Each structure stands twice: as C-alpha cells, then as structure tokens.
Amino acid sequence: MAVLLLTVACEQTEVLLFDPISSKHIKTLSEAHEDCVNNIRFLDNRLFATCSDDTTIALWDLRKLNTKVCTLHGHTSWVKNIEYDTNTRLLVTSGFDGNVIIWDTNRCTEDGCPHKKFFHTRFLMRMRLTPDCSKMLISTSSGYLLILHDLDLNKSLEVGSYPILRARRTTSNSDTTSTGSSGSRAAGSPCQQNDSGALFEKHTSRPSQREGGSPRNSLEVLTPEVPGERDRGNCITSLQLHPKGWATLLRCSSNTDDQEWTCVYEFQEGAPVRPVSPRCSLRLTHCIEEANVGRGYIKELCFSPDGRMISSPHGYGIRLLGFDAQCSELVDCLPKEASPLQEIRSLYSHNDVVLTTKFSPTHCQIASGCLSGRVSLYQPKF
C-alpha cells in the first residue's frame, strides 16, 4: 500500500518528511547532503532521489532512511533538477555546470550508477521531460528554450550527434541574466546572447532518422514570446509541463528584475519536419503579470494533477489561476490570441516571500514554502 508523504528540500542540508493529512512531522534527514538540497523526485513508492549544491545526487529508500542507498557523482556544479523515465528506469539530472546526465538505475550498486553526459548547454536553468518522455525541454537564463524532439535517452548527444532545427525568435534578446546562488540570481549581468550559436557548439554530422519521420533528438531553439517590453531580455527561471503534455508553463523575469510573468504555451504538433525546416512548436496562450516581490529569487510554480489550475507563488502567498473562470480544460478554451489567466483564489499564510508551491497528486491539497523556511498546507474549497 502506497504511503502519502510530503517531502521538503531545505537550504541547510536537510530533507524533511511530513504526513500531509495530519501535518505530523515524521522524520528529518539532518545531513542528507553537504550543501543546499534543491529537488526531490520519487522514482516509485519507496525509492526517491535528492540533489544538491554539493554537486551530488543521493538515492534513498523509505524503508531504511538512516543511510543513503548510494551517492551519485558526475556533475561539477550545483544540481538543480531530477527527472525520471519510468519505462527505461533512467534518471535524468541537470545542473548549473550546463550538463544533462543520464543515470542507469537498473544497474545501481552501493557505489553508484553507470552514467553518461547526455547534453550540454551554457546558462542552463531548468530541465523537464514531457509525461510521455517524447521531449526534453531546457530553459536558460539567456531567455532561450531548447526542445529535444522525439527523445531517445539511450543515445548520448555528444559533439556532432544531433541536428539543430532553425532557431525561432519572437522577441529581441540582447542583455540576459546569469545565475547567482541556489535561490537567487545576480541581476543585470549581461551575457550578450545574440544568436543560439553562443549556447552550444555547432553540430554538423548527419543524424539518424527513422523512415518517414523526423530525426531522433532533433533540437529546436526558440525564444518564447513574453508580454511586456519586447526589446528587453528575459530569464526563464521556472519550467513545468502540463500533466497531459499539452503545454509548458514558464515563469519569466526581465533581465533587470523589474517585471515577472507566468506564461502558458501550447505545444503545436504538426507533420514531421526536415532538420533544415524552420519550426516553432510553442504558442503563447495565457499569461499574467506577477507581483515581483522578492526580486532575484526563483519562484517554482506548478500545474494541478488534472491540468486545470496553476498554483503560483505571489508575494507572501500563492495564487490559484485558471484558463477561464470555470477552470476548464486548456483544450476547451484555447484563445486565438494570448489571454489573461484568471485568478480563482488567493491564499496567504506566510510572513516571508513564497518560493515554491506544489499540488498533492491524490488529494485536494496544496503546499507552499517560503524564504524563512515555513511550510504551509491548504485544503481550498471551491
């Protein structure tokens, strides 16, 4: 029988475990890592992974929390994201070293897991897999969004091994923002990214291609349209995927940190394209300007399990947002032009800036965490 747990990644090396129904504190992993803990990902009902600014990933078993299953070494800077392909049991991590690394948990021992570098890009912020693991999305502090289509995680993407689809730009980005600490960014640091070539080396070899289809691991580079002044650079600080794979959710900040937006982009699926063809897979459908309280700090937002609502950090609380006032499915209310997200409910219980929020996968419950370390649980009634 599966046990419902709330796990909390903390700045001071700790991982906290709670019963979200009773709010009872179950256990503290006081030295889970040697630096800030950034992300937690459950692989199944008992095994979960944590990553940290100490450059490592740790695997844990709920049945034996007094010690780690193993520690994974491979990154050279802060590790920020963990994804997992349940079909292949491959763990996928990304960090501020610009690397995306694949770990084979099928061959895990107490000494670690076999791993390989899958992809590298400069200014990497966040990495996500679509629910069906057919795409990998990577956001950058230079305002670019990278999409690997028809994903094959078993094929390591070294120099010369993947095609680049022509970059599509919808805004003019010249000045960009570089990453700062684990929770904040250094504002106003120009990187002068004027084309996608500065993100990674050019790759020119002929890719493998299935008969009648697009090549595996085709890379698309685009600059998502962001509201506000179009002549200023943007940093994509948070990246999430719709639970049904219909859209991506971004939190974007201007390079001077004076504007912050939450944006939803629909995936536009069409006929397979040749590597030389221009492509733009995302269309801005909904957006809303945020309060921009706590400038420079990254705020992690999320979709509800059914994809009808968004929970977004907003000052000292969270806002629940919908695509319309009735919380309809995205596919039932797609506008012809970008429309405002609708505020369904605001929930405030913190005395500091909220940095993260998450829906329960099984209950009508939302958690939020703030800069001072307080965790709040909500059971909103609609």
Side-chain angles (χ1 to χ4, degrees):
M1 180 178 175
V3 178
L4 187 64
L5 287 175
L6 171 65
T7 54
V8 181
C10 300
E11 185 177 12
Q12 300 298 329
T13 76
E14 296 179 338
V15 172
L16 307 179
L17 284 78
F18 294 90
D19 178 346
I21 304 303
S22 65
S23 300
K24 181 181 178 181
H25 174 239
I26 298 174
K27 190 175 181 63
T28 296
L29 307 180
S30 58
E31 295 182 0
H33 286 273
E34 295 178 1
D35 207 332
C36 303
V37 185
N38 297 317
N39 194 233
I40 303 172
R41 169 75 62 173
F42 272 85
L43 313 189
D44 53 34
N45 289 335
R46 61 177 180 82
L47 195 66
F48 66 95
T50 59
C51 65
S52 169
D53 283 357
D54 67 8
T55 76
T56 70
I57 301 98
L59 297 184
W60 304 84
D61 191 323
L62 286 174
R63 300 170 300 180
K64 191 179 179 182
L65 288 172
N66 291 330
T67 183
K68 303 172 186 176
V69 174
C70 64
T71 300
L72 309 181
H73 299 270
H75 285 281
T76 58
S77 186
W78 302 341
V79 188
K80 293 298 185 181
N81 269 115
I82 306 172
E83 294 286 281
Y84 186 63
D85 183 345
T86 55
N87 296 319
T88 61
R89 295 190 64 194
L90 294 176
L91 194 71
V92 189
T93 61
S94 68
F96 280 0
D97 55 4
N99 291 326
V100 176
I101 296 180
I102 308 294
W103 311 83
D104 187 357
T105 61
N106 298 291
R107 296 186 286 162
C108 187
T109 70
E110 61 182 12
D111 296 322
C113 300
H115 67 279
K116 62 181 180 181
K117 185 191 296 186
F118 180 73
F119 187 81
H120 177 83
T121 184
R122 299 174 68 193
F123 313 118
L124 189 154
M125 287 291 291
R126 294 291 183 265
M127 174 274 304
R128 303 288 180 194
L129 300 180
T130 53
D132 62 0
C133 294
S134 65
K135 298 181 183 67
M136 177 185 290
L137 281 76
I138 297 171
S139 66
T140 71
S141 61
S142 54
Y144 287 101
L145 187 67
L146 316 181
I147 306 177
L148 283 162
H149 293 272
D150 203 3
L151 189 65
D152 181 1
L153 292 175
N154 290 304
K155 181 181 178 184
S156 185
L157 298 184
E158 308 237 335
V159 173
S161 66
Y162 60 88
I164 297 179
L165 303 179
R166 187 176 304 166
R168 299 298 300 267
R169 299 176 62 85
T170 56
T171 58
S172 175
N173 283 21
S174 55
D175 294 338
T176 54
T177 307
S178 63
T179 55
S181 67
S182 60
S184 62
R185 296 184 292 111
S189 302
C191 297
Q192 299 298 331
Q193 297 301 312
N194 293 319
D195 61 62
S196 61
L199 288 170
F200 33 73
E201 301 174 28
K202 291 187 177 180
H203 300 252
T204 56
S205 70
R206 186 179 300 275
S208 61
Q209 184 167 342
R210 295 177 300 170
E211 184 176 353
S214 58
R216 303 299 298 268
N217 294 328
S218 297
L219 176 65
E220 178 183 11
V221 185
L222 53 86
T223 308
E225 178 186 355
V226 178
E229 296 183 24
R230 296 175 180 267
D231 59 346
R232 298 191 303 173
N234 291 284
C235 175
I236 305 172
T237 57
S238 182
L239 167 66
Q240 299 290 341
L241 275 300
H242 190 280
K244 297 179 182 178
W246 293 342
T248 184
L249 175 65
L250 303 183
R251 187 75 168 245
C252 303
S253 299
S254 65
N255 61 2
T256 54
D257 276 330
D258 60 347
Q259 279 189 314
E260 197 170 22
W261 294 83
T262 289
C263 302
V264 178
Y265 300 85
E266 172 202 13
F267 282 111
Q268 299 187 102
E269 301 293 352
V273 296
R274 297 191 303 272
V276 295
S277 301
R279 180 173 188 168
C280 192
S281 296
L282 297 179
R283 180 179 73 92
L284 178 65
T285 62
H286 297 83
C287 58
I288 192 168
E289 188 168 6
E290 295 290 359
N292 201 24
V293 176
R295 293 185 182 185
Y297 283 95
I298 295 171
K299 291 98 176 180
E300 299 285 2
L301 65 180
C302 66
F303 279 109
S304 61
D306 61 4
R308 291 172 179 258
M309 282 198 299
I310 295 164
S311 183
S312 177
H314 189 259
Y316 288 10
I318 58 174
R319 285 196 297 186
L320 301 182
L321 306 170
F323 305 115
D324 62 14
Q326 291 73 43
C327 293
S328 301
E329 292 271 19
L330 174 62
V331 293
D332 295 329
C333 54
L334 284 172
K336 292 183 178 179
E337 297 182 355
S339 298
L341 287 163
Q342 301 296 309
E343 184 173 333
I344 307 300
R345 183 75 60 84
S346 294
L347 303 170
Y348 296 96
S349 65
H350 291 276
N351 57 6
D352 209 338
V353 180
V354 173
L355 300 182
T356 186
T357 178
K358 196 74 174 177
F359 282 93
S360 165
T362 56
H363 292 68
C364 183
Q365 194 172 46
I366 309 166
S368 62
C370 73
L371 184 60
S372 62
R374 177 186 171 90
V375 176
S376 293
L377 292 169
Y378 312 92
Q379 289 182 308
K381 295 181 180 180
F382 301 98

